């Protein structure tokens, strides 16, 4: 615990004002309502916090029995890990008890009602919805068309305990955390690993994850095809295309193999050949005086001999034969 606290910054320390504590916590997460369960009790709230990139980690305690009500989260999830005490939580009228042995996920799109015991202290891991959805797409090729909803009836499940153990091992209790904090790329990879672990908890996409029912192409594949349609004449590599759609080259390769049964570059080659054939036929029909080699270059082929060979393999005829098959050919120059 002390390892993670070394990189945390105090948000407030020893606040006795419920309004102040509620406001400051709301600044980190979102506005909510906080009340003392018994007005005779004295609040002594403390909070430490560290932002990573698409996640954050906080330690929060109130030292009093408190009641929290919140509207649904819109763009993030909270994983609550009590380090002492316990709290009752209700999400859409589904109630549960979270203790040091049973962490809980506070889901998005669900109203939240919590009652903390006096001795309750929580580690709170916040993970942004876009990160979780991008890992869902990049790893399983599932394009989330709605929020990932976790099964709140199974809080304290073994998968969530496994996630909590991983969070503690690689982040909270890691003795090398001070050095790791200087490496932003490493922290980003840790976020992705933790997001992948969290997706193992029962959720609204679990069946598709387990059974491979990926009926919808991921956004990266769709966007890559659209980009190639617009830029097929340019010199492109798989890295160039991947950068344009915001994924790694490896993820893009896997996506195309999964859904197009080919690689991005082979898909691009076939697209260029189709466009070249269309241009040859269109130019000929319009009586345009244009060289086939010029058409090849306009479609991204800079070596005419190589283009001709690929053209024959694709269409079973040479570019010249395509011209010969048309009724008018006098204005197409073959080379």
């Amino acid at each position: 615990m002390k390892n993670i606290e070394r990189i945390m910054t105090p948000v407030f320390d020893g606040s006795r004002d419920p309004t102040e504590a509620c406001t400051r916590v709301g600044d980190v997460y979102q506005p909510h309502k906080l009340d003392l369960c018994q007005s005779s009790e004295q609040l002594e709230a403390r909070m430490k916090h560290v932002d990573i990139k698409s996640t954050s980690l906080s330690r929060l305690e109130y030292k009093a029995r408190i009641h929290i009500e919140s509207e649904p989260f819109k763009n993030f999830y909270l994983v609550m890990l009590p380090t002492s005490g316990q709290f009752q939580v209700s999400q859409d009228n589904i109630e549960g008890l979270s203790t040091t042995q049973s962490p809980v996920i506070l889901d998005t799109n669900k109203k939240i009602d919590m009652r903390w015991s006096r001795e309750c202290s929580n580690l709170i891991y916040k993970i942004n919805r876009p990160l979780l959805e991008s890992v869902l797409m990049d790893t399983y090729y599932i394009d989330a068309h709605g929020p990932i909803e976790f099964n709140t009836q199974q809080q304290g499940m073994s998968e969530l305990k496994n996630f909590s153990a991983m969070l503690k091992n690689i982040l909270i209790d890691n003795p090398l955390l001070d050095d790791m904090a200087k490496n932003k790329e490493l922290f980003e990879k840790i976020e992705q690993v933790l997001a992948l672990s969290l997706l193992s908890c029962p959720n609204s996409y679990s069946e598709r994850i387990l059974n491979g029912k990926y009926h919808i192409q991921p956004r990266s594949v769709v966007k890559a095809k659209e980009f190639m349609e617009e830029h097929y004449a340019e010199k492109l590599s798989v890295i160039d295309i991947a950068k344009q759609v915001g994924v790694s080259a490896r993820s893009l390769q896997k996506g195309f193999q999964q859904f197009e049964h080919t690689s991005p570059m082979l898909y691009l080659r076939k697209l260029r050949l189709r466009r070249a054939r269309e241009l040859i036929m269109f130019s000929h029909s319009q009586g345009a005086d244009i060289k086939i080699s010029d058409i090849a270059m306009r479609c991204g082929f800079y070596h005419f001999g190589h283009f001709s060979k690929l053209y024959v393999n694709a269409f079973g005829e040479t570019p010249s034969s395509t011209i010969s098959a048309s009724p008018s050919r006098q204005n197409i120059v073959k080379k």
Side-chain angles (χ1 to χ4, degrees), residues 5 27 32 61 82 103 105 135 218-219 233 241 269 271 303:
E5 289 194 3
D27 290 340
H32 57 280
E61 60 186 16
I105 302 173
V135 171
R219 187 182 294 108
I241 300 168
R269 178 193 291 176
L271 172 62
H303 188 281

Side-chain angles (χ1 to χ4, degrees), residues 308-322:
S308 296
K309 183 178 180 179
L310 293 174
Y311 193 98
V312 171
N313 290 338
F315 304 115
E317 61 181 20
T318 65
S320 299
S321 298
T322 299

Side-chain angles (χ1 to χ4, degrees), residues 157-192:
M157 64 197 86
S158 60
E159 294 89 350
L160 186 52
K161 290 181 179 179
N162 292 339
F163 168 82
S164 302
M166 179 180 291
L167 179 65
K168 290 177 181 178
N169 288 334
I170 68 175
L171 197 59
I172 297 171
D173 296 329
N174 194 324
L176 302 177
L177 194 60
D178 289 335
D179 292 331
M180 291 168 56
K182 302 172 186 177
N183 190 331
K184 292 183 179 180
E185 291 184 1
L186 178 59
F187 263 111
E188 289 179 20
K189 292 184 182 298
I190 288 174
E191 286 184 327
Q192 293 172 355

Side-chain angles (χ1 to χ4, degrees), residues 284-311:
H284 179 50
S285 68
Q286 298 298 309
D289 187 7
I290 185 170
K291 293 182 179 180
I292 294 176
S293 57
D294 290 339
I295 291 176
M297 291 188 66
R298 286 171 58 181
C299 293
F301 297 101
Y302 298 94
H303 188 281
F304 185 77
H306 183 57
F307 164 73
S308 296
K309 183 178 180 179
L310 293 174
Y311 193 98

